[in-house]
Amino acid sequence: MALLIKNGLIVEHDGRRKADIYCENETVTRIGENLDAPAGTKVIDAGDKYVFPGFIDPHVHIHLPFMGTFAKDNHDTGSKAALMGGTTMFIEMCCPNRGMDMLEGYEEWKSLAAGKASCDYAFHMAVAKWEDKTADQLDKVLADGTTSFKIFLAYKDFFGVYDDELFNVLTYAGKHGVTVAAHTENADLVSLMQQRLLAEGKTGSEWHEPSRPDFVEAAGVNHFATFLKLTGARGYVVHLSNAKALEAAITARKQGVQLGVEAVIPHLILDKSYAERPNFEGAKYVMSPPLRTTADRQALWSGLKSGLVDTVATDHAPFDFVEQKTMGKDDFTKIPNGIPAIEDRINLLYTYGVSRGDLSLERFVEVGSTNAAKWFGLYPQKGALRVGSDADIVVYDPKAKGTFSVKTQSMNIDYNGFEGMDRDGKPDVVTVRGNVQVENGEFVGKTGIGSFVTRSLAK
Ligand code: URP
Ligand code: ZN
Ligand code: ZN
């Protein structure tokens, strides 16, 4: 069905204009003033509202076997929660572990999402080891349109790679123009610190942050950048959490390394005092890298404003408090890592970045959508509202005030890490390739219409 969105303020990363937008056959076909539409067109009045390109979350975990359990969302619940929060596409970490065959893992992740996701999706292919067959397997993954990889320097012997393997992955990536996303914390140092703290009887969630200090993450960024420099690959640091790590990324860029920086919404909104909450409440806030200091949060916000930080993702990794986080009741190293946020990212970024901060609407769109599209070979199909772009559109109501709460969320999880915080706006209408999936803030769409998006190599 054709769709006409009238009277809104269209905001893209490079400007804004009051105009109507008309969509047909899944794409934007006309933008202009006082557009007319044939009979039968669905017309939405966006007066007093913003019209944004659909937001893209470049780092989520949906199917995630991890730390002896599974993340709670599936592609049905996770994608609907994403849509309720204005995210029309996510890039999921496809994470077969070291014991699995990579290509079988890739097919497994794809089959779990197909027909279940209600928003569009793609994958970063995690490479957890390097074997004789890996290059051939990666050729197949690339040919399938999955054009970015993920490596972990953390989580040794599970997702983590050794240095020679890192070198091989990056050499392959450099040769083929693939962007490699990296979790840079050093697995050995973290593990040694964990053992030291536990031996001292320090078992609570408040010890998670001290077990993985900011400078260890920063050293990891430097380590990754050193390998990028040698191999000529293009890198992207995921969930960079602190000022020292950001400084390391800036230094690498000055040396000519192509390096993207991703911040995630928990690191922007919360600080480590949350993970220090008594009575095991802090476990809700255990993620890696950990929540840091207020000064680190501020450094990330400054980096977002100045352009040093490229994207805002979630690292959505939902584990129930009652049944799952409690696995680490007597040992913080066993608390499943992750803070769910796929539904709340854009509303938090709008509330605390735009409404109560000094992020411009354009920059909000850039870090919430456009830059992810540019970094990962989707632009201007996604991340833009141009004639020819996918009709992924968010009509955003800046007057829809409320609070973040487990009571009102769609995420399949028994808590909300931002419980009780104010929200200053909310998506009113959300479309995926012209399909109205959310209207009046409710999911009204078709389940399972999300497409696997094949991507070009980013330029
Ligand atoms: O705490 C986190 N980040 N959990 C998900 C796995 C990862 O490291 O991204
Ligand atoms: Zn990670
Ligand atoms: Zn992650």
Side-chain angles (χ1 to χ4, degrees):
M1 188 209 287
L3 176 70
L4 177 64
I5 299 176
K6 291 186 77 66
N7 306 322
L9 183 69
I10 299 175
V11 185
E12 292 190 281
H13 74 285
D14 54 358
R16 54 182 93 178
R17 66 190 276 211
K18 199 140 178 76
D20 302 343
I21 182 160
Y22 181 76
C23 316
E24 236 177 345
N25 300 326
E26 305 202 337
T27 56
V28 175
T29 52
R30 285 187 288 151
I31 301 175
E33 284 169 28
N34 303 316
L35 294 185
D36 51 14
T41 300
K42 181 169 175 70
V43 180
I44 289 168
D45 187 353
D48 296 332
K49 297 188 182 119
Y50 300 124
V51 178
F52 297 126
F55 293 96
I56 301 169
D57 190 337
H59 181 172
V60 308
H61 301 271
I62 303 291
H63 177 57
L64 178 64
F66 183 49
M67 296 186 75
T69 185
F70 289 83
K72 273 297 298 298
D73 270 315
N74 56 40
H75 291 85
D76 177 28
T77 60
S79 64
K80 284 179 180 160
L83 286 164
M84 292 292 285
T87 291
T88 55
M89 175 169 180
F90 54 69
I91 311 183
E92 180 182 355
M93 298 296 170
C94 170
C95 284
N97 65 47
R98 205 172 164 82
M100 295 170 68
D101 179 77
M102 186 179 67
L103 208 51
E104 283 174 19
Y106 180 63
E107 295 305 336
E108 182 187 348
W109 258 258
K110 274 187 77 177
S111 68
L112 285 167
K116 297 282 188 311
S118 299
C119 68
D120 282 353
Y121 59 93
F123 299 99
H124 299 293
M125 183 71 242
V127 187
K129 62 186 164 190
W130 188 271
E131 306 173 284
D132 289 344
K133 62 183 176 186
T134 305
D136 286 344
Q137 292 194 330
L138 289 176
D139 288 348
K140 294 195 174 82
V141 170
L142 278 189
D144 198 45
T146 291
T147 56
S148 53
F149 301 159
K150 169 77 183 287
I151 56 102
F152 291 86
L153 305 185
Y155 312 127
K156 194 171 186 178
D157 293 330
F158 192 67
F159 295 142
V161 287
Y162 290 86
D163 276 353
D164 55 338
E165 298 174 315
L166 175 63
F167 187 80
N168 287 333
V169 177
L170 295 184
T171 300
Y172 178 98
K175 205 163 106 194
H176 292 83
V178 172
T179 300
V180 180
H183 178 145
T184 65
E185 291 177 297
N186 180 295
D188 286 313
L189 286 175
V190 169
S191 168
L192 290 165
M193 281 301 295
Q194 287 176 332
Q195 298 321 311
R196 183 200 279 183
L197 290 164
L198 289 176
E200 290 168 359
K202 295 168 175 166
T203 59
S205 61
E206 70 275 25
W207 296 105
H208 178 68
E209 198 275 339
S211 76
R212 36 209 326 144
D214 56 354
F215 57 90
V216 169
E217 186 186 342
V221 171
N222 186 37
H223 189 81
F224 180 47
T226 305
F227 280 64
L228 291 170
K229 198 169 175 182
L230 282 170
T231 57
R234 191 171 189 262
Y236 173 91
V237 178
V238 296
H239 50 38
L240 183 140
S241 74
N242 68 80
K244 288 191 179 74
L246 184 56
E247 206 46 57
I250 295 165
T251 304
R253 283 175 178 161
K254 283 187 187 143
Q255 294 169 3
V257 175
Q258 286 190 77
L259 192 59
V261 170
E262 171 193 279
V264 294
I265 204 75
H267 290 145
L268 286 162
I269 304 292
L270 308 168
D271 62 37
K272 65 180 185 166
S273 67
Y274 285 85
E276 291 164 357
R277 287 184 169 181
N279 304 322
F280 199 58
E281 177 86 8
K284 293 177 179 172
Y285 301 96
V286 166
M287 67 172 292
S288 297
L291 299 177
R292 302 291 190 188
T293 63
T294 300
D296 288 316
R297 275 195 328 112
Q298 282 161 355
L300 294 180
W301 278 112
S302 314
L304 262 188
K305 281 169 219 152
S306 67
L308 292 171
V309 173
D310 299 286
T311 56
V312 176
T314 54
D315 193 12
H316 180 70
F319 296 100
D320 272 341
F321 177 63
V322 175
E323 294 284 336
Q324 294 180 297
K325 292 279 184 179
T326 42
M327 291 161 66
K329 193 122 190 64
D330 304 313
D331 175 350
F332 70 89
T333 69
K334 296 197 168 65
I335 300 170
N337 287 198
I339 302 178
I342 199 166
E343 187 169 356
D344 297 331
R345 173 183 68 123
I346 289 307
N347 289 329
L348 286 162
L349 190 62
Y350 178 80
T351 303
Y352 297 100
V354 179
S355 177
R356 302 182 186 203
D358 48 10
L359 208 62
S360 71
L361 281 171
E362 285 82 0
R363 186 73 184 142
F364 166 68
V365 169
E366 190 165 37
V367 299
S369 176
T370 312
N371 278 353
K374 287 184 174 173
W375 266 90
F376 296 113
L378 293 161
Y379 186 81
Q381 178 191 351
K382 310 259 187 208
L385 287 176
R386 308 277 155 96
V387 170
S389 297
D390 282 358
D392 298 348
I393 302 173
V394 176
V395 178
Y396 197 83
D397 183 357
K399 295 205 186 84
K401 295 196 189 306
T403 50
F404 296 91
S405 177
V406 66
K407 294 193 195 105
T408 50
Q409 75 189 12
S410 301
M411 294 183 289
N412 182 30
I413 173 89
D414 68 358
Y415 75 100
N416 183 300
F418 312 96
E419 187 68 42
M421 290 184 186
D422 291 338
R423 172 174 53 66
D424 287 352
K426 173 172 147 189
D428 186 26
V429 174
V430 181
T431 73
V432 177
R433 286 172 285 104
N435 296 287
V436 177
Q437 296 291 74
V438 172
E439 193 165 11
N440 298 323
E442 301 288 334
F443 185 83
V444 295
K446 299 185 200 105
T447 295
I449 58 136
S451 279
F452 167 63
V453 183
T454 58
R455 295 177 288 133
S456 54
L457 290 160
K459 280 155 214 108

